[in-house]
Amino acid sequence: MKLWLPQATTTAPEVDYLIASLVLISCLVLALVFGLMLLYMVKYRAGSPADRGGASEKTWRLETAWTSATLLVFFGLFIWGADLYVRLFRAPPDAMTIYVVGKQGMWKVQHPGGQREINALHLPAGRPVRLVMTSADVIHDFAIPAFRIKHDVLPGRYEMLWFAANEPGTYHLFCTQLCGTGHARMVGQIAVMPPADFQRWLQQNAAGETLATAGKTLFIRHGCSGCHGIGGVGGKQSASIVNAPPLTGLYGSPVPLANGTVATADDRYLRDSILMPEKSRVAGYPPVMPSFAGQIGEEDLIRIVAYIKSLAAEQPQ
Ligand code: CUA
């Protein structure tokens, strides 16, 4: 039986070092404080012959030295932890995106190529992967202990998580947020594969259409193309079409909003724009877009977002 969890990502050893140092330093401080306490309890117990006279003058030197030493050590730990945290939660730009929807009792995964899995996630080794996660019902938590990562998955918004798994193998996936009677069944397997095997897996599980092409169908069916134009070219060109911003070249770019702020057109912004159009209305456009909240499920939203994302490569008109 293995007592130690495998360290299956590039960042896992760093997380382990930080936790081990924190435990070690805390134990040292505890041992010092309790050691002195015990020592003096025994030495000065009632009736012991220890010398109780000649109390030395109080000096500030010891107080200052002890306080600054502990402050330095714990402030150092804070900087170490903060630096690691920032790196753990900022995905590198070349990360591949995989979408995850939590539902009571299951994790539903969608790959950009349209491949879908339930309570399983296949990944290539040695490649940063970014998960865009949301929930269709209550709060869940996506946790892979061997990767040393976990993150809450909330209904109504996109949460991100990234990692680079470097050890091929199979690892446990858990939901670590009590989410109802299906909670115990929300477990799954993460299969980290050598890149060539992963490519083969993608081909073997090829879906009829990619996320983006499925999204294009929905884009037309829900009437988005009525204003934003077929292909998302925008609705400015004709008097009969309502004025709507173009979606080509949008993903990843800064968007000046009507409320005076500037947003970045990431997955979260695109989703929010579909459900809460007024919140993210683009500067210079009339408030005419209806909200699609309650009309499009999370999985279809992912497909529409993937379609709009795929328009990033097209030139804005
Ligand atoms: Cu989902 Cu617990």
Side-chain angles (χ1 to χ4, degrees):
M1 191 180 100
K2 267 194 238 149
L3 282 178
W4 198 255
L5 270 174
Q7 298 170 318
T9 54
T10 46
T11 42
E14 289 190 75
V15 174
D16 285 354
Y17 284 134
L18 178 65
I19 303 227
S21 312
L22 204 65
V23 171
L24 185 73
I25 292 171
S26 303
C27 286
L28 286 177
V29 172
L30 202 73
L32 182 67
V33 171
F34 275 81
L36 284 173
M37 215 163 81
L38 283 173
L39 179 75
Y40 292 133
M41 272 162 67
V42 173
K43 188 174 174 192
Y44 295 108
R45 69 190 182 278
S48 79
D51 176 21
R52 285 170 166 81
S56 52
E57 195 101 329
K58 182 182 173 76
T59 89
W60 285 103
R61 205 174 293 159
L62 186 68
E63 302 270 345
T64 316
W66 171 244
T67 309
S68 349
T70 43
L71 182 76
L72 271 179
V73 168
F74 284 97
F75 199 64
L77 276 173
F78 167 75
I79 291 175
W80 184 6
D83 168 64
L84 182 58
Y85 182 87
V86 168
R87 285 186 290 119
L88 277 180
F89 287 94
R90 189 176 295 159
D94 62 331
M96 62 183 267
T97 303
I98 297 178
Y99 295 90
V100 175
V101 177
K103 247 184 189 159
Q104 284 178 314
M106 67 178 93
W107 293 109
K108 297 180 117 182
V109 174
Q110 299 194 74
H111 292 262
Q115 294 85 352
R116 308 174 65 175
E117 349 182 28
I118 289 183
N119 287 347
L121 174 57
H122 287 75
L123 302 167
R127 170 115 197 251
V129 169
R130 189 173 72 112
L131 300 181
V132 174
M133 313 183 293
T134 190
S135 166
D137 37 48
V138 298
I139 301 177
H140 303 280
D141 191 291
F142 191 92
I144 310 172
F147 290 6
R148 307 295 189 276
I149 51 137
K150 71 199 290 286
H151 202 292
D152 272 3
V153 177
L154 308 173
R157 59 177 294 172
Y158 282 172
E159 292 296 332
M160 321 285 172
L161 192 62
W162 85 272
F163 47 79
N166 50 6
E167 269 306 301
T170 306
Y171 306 99
H172 290 293
L173 161 69
F174 295 104
C175 174
T176 53
Q177 185 69 254
L178 187 59
C179 56
T181 48
H183 174 62
R185 279 182 284 119
M186 263 184 104
V187 292
Q189 293 205 309
I190 309 288
V192 178
M193 316 166 95
D197 291 7
F198 179 68
Q199 283 311 323
R200 209 169 307 132
W201 181 87
L202 283 180
Q203 278 157 20
Q204 280 163 1
N205 290 275
E209 46 186 4
T210 65
L211 273 188
T213 46
K216 185 174 185 180
T217 310
L218 292 162
F219 186 81
I220 295 167
R221 188 192 303 159
H222 287 286
C224 314
S225 51
C227 299
H228 293 281
I230 303 276
V233 291
K236 232 172 190 168
Q237 63 278 60
S238 144
S240 64
I241 304 178
V242 178
N243 208 357
L247 305 174
T248 44
L250 172 64
Y251 187 80
S253 62
V255 185
L257 299 185
N259 64 16
T261 59
V262 176
T264 301
D266 54 7
D267 299 78
R268 190 178 279 165
Y269 169 83
L270 296 181
R271 180 189 179 281
D272 287 355
S273 302
I274 298 167
L275 302 181
M276 298 167 275
E278 190 43 34
K279 188 187 141 199
S280 38
R281 180 159 57 90
V282 181
Y285 287 90
V288 290
M289 169 146 168
S291 162
F292 287 83
Q295 298 177 43
I296 309 179
E298 291 297 345
E299 287 171 72
D300 279 352
L301 278 171
I302 285 171
R303 297 182 186 116
I304 297 173
V305 166
Y307 171 60
I308 298 174
K309 210 169 154 175
S310 75
L311 300 175
E314 324 249 329
Q315 282 307 307
Q317 313 237 324

